[in-house]
């Protein structure tokens, strides 16, 4: 059976992550498209959390996917697929920072006396929430993104995984290579730094922050598939 015939035989969207991995390992590249669509948003959010640049984050995510495809036979399911991919993406992102020689250590963030000065002022929303006011919601989302960008990196990464991606404490700890207690402490500090900045509007804007849907998602997915199409397959 050809790869194209195998792809046609599966409804990849209906498969769980483990089944998708097995399909990719068997040579079904269409399954990798579904993996990317399923994980694109988290990957982009986390890499952007490190690099704070949309276009550079997109490049790094593509590199991470190619690296993941090349090493898919090494995935054993010890962590979730999303966690495995996130760690690959973060390694790529931090590698990019090291090459730019702009890396700041986590210890510096933890001991910074000026951490609370990093969050931008965010005025409270007055009046009730108006779902029809699309422009106002977009502005709130933009201000939330800027406020999260202003967090020290050590807190920002924990906040993105726990509050925006909805990961558990254990998933966050595994993805970032931290102790569970450290995750809890950093999340508490991140919330404290953001509390005055985002107030009651965070609930409405959180789910829409750092969008990675539509044209950008499709463009990046196609770019990765084109690259791996020239690849002999997973090692």
């Amino acid at each position: 059976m050809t790869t194209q015939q195998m792809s046609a035989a599966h409804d990849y969207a209906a498969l769980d992550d483990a089944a998708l991995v097995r399909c990719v390992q068997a040579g079904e590249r269409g399954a990798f498209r579904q993996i990317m669509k399923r994980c694109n948003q988290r990957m982009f959010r986390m890499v952007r959390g490190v690099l704070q640049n949309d276009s550079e984050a997109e490049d790094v995510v593509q590199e991470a996917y190619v690296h993941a495809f090349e090493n898919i036979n090494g995935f054993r399911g010890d962590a979730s697929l999303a966690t495995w991919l996130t760690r690959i993406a973060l390694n790529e992102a931090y590698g990019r920072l090291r090459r730019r020689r702009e890396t700041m250590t986590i210890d510096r963030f933890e001991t910074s006396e000026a951490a609370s000065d990093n969050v931008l002022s965010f005025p409270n929303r007055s009046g009730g929430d108006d779902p029809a006011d699309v422009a106002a919601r977009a502005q709130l989302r933009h201000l939330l993104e800027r406020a999260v960008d202003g967090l020290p990196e050590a807190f920002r990464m924990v906040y993105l995984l726990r509050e925006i991606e909805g990961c558990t404490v254990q998933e966050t700890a595994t993805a970032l290579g931290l102790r569970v207690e450290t995750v809890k402490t950093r999340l508490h500090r991140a919330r404290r730094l953001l509390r005055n900045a985002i107030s009651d509007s965070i609930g409405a804007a959180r789910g829409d922050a750092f969008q990675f849907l539509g044209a950008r998602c499709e463009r990046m997915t196609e770019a990765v598939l084109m690259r791996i199409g020239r690849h002999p397959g997973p090692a």
Side-chain angles (χ1 to χ4, degrees):
M1 183 180 292
T2 66
T3 299
Q4 184 175 6
Q5 289 171 329
M6 288 189 294
S7 298
H10 284 123
D11 176 10
Y12 292 124
L15 299 180
D16 62 20
D17 289 348
L20 286 172
V21 170
R22 289 193 295 271
C23 287
V24 177
Q25 291 171 339
E28 299 182 47
R29 301 192 181 199
F32 198 73
R33 175 195 291 271
Q34 182 60 38
I35 288 173
M36 285 190 287
K37 288 186 174 181
R38 195 170 288 181
C39 298
N40 270 342
Q41 180 126 301
R42 178 186 292 189
M43 294 273 277
F44 178 76
R45 280 171 166 168
M46 298 312 299
V47 172
R48 190 194 176 284
V50 173
L51 301 174
Q52 297 185 281
N53 179 282
D54 286 7
S55 61
E56 193 172 14
E58 191 172 331
D59 289 343
V60 168
V61 171
Q62 289 187 42
E63 292 296 330
Y65 274 133
V66 172
H67 183 72
F69 177 79
E70 292 172 345
N71 293 276
I72 195 71
N73 287 337
F75 178 74
R76 296 290 179 262
D78 299 328
S80 70
L81 178 60
T83 298
W84 183 70
L85 289 169
T86 297
R87 297 197 72 167
I88 292 173
L90 289 175
N91 285 338
E92 293 283 344
Y94 286 119
R96 179 74 62 98
L97 283 182
R98 284 193 295 272
R99 288 191 292 275
R100 291 194 325 211
R101 297 184 179 181
E102 294 178 0
T103 303
M104 297 179 69
T105 65
I106 286 179
D107 286 342
R108 179 176 176 183
F109 285 133
E110 294 279 39
T111 58
S112 173
E113 294 291 334
S116 60
D117 296 332
N118 290 336
V119 180
L120 299 177
S121 177
F122 189 98
N124 291 340
R125 180 189 299 185
S126 59
D129 185 24
D130 181 4
D133 193 350
V134 178
R137 183 176 175 85
Q139 181 65 16
L140 285 170
R141 186 177 68 246
H142 174 68
L143 291 175
L144 170 61
E145 291 174 354
R146 290 182 63 193
V148 173
D149 277 346
L151 286 172
E153 182 183 331
F155 306 146
R156 183 169 68 246
M157 304 308 293
V158 169
Y159 185 85
L160 285 169
L161 278 174
R162 287 284 288 122
E163 294 291 343
I164 294 183
E165 279 298 313
C167 294
T168 66
V169 173
Q170 185 59 60
E171 287 172 335
T172 302
T174 300
L176 299 179
L178 300 172
R179 294 183 300 113
V180 166
E181 293 76 11
T182 303
V183 170
K184 293 178 179 179
T185 298
R186 290 183 184 174
L187 180 60
H188 175 74
R189 293 180 183 177
R191 285 171 172 167
R192 186 179 62 196
L193 289 173
L194 288 171
R195 187 172 295 119
N196 292 333
I198 55 181
S199 188
D200 61 344
S201 54
I202 188 172
R206 180 189 300 147
D208 294 331
F210 306 120
Q211 292 267 347
F212 195 78
L213 304 172
R216 174 183 281 167
C217 178
E218 190 64 25
R219 182 180 68 251
M220 198 196 69
T221 298
E222 293 300 327
V224 172
L225 289 171
M226 184 177 297
R227 290 180 62 178
I228 67 176
R230 298 191 293 268
H231 197 280

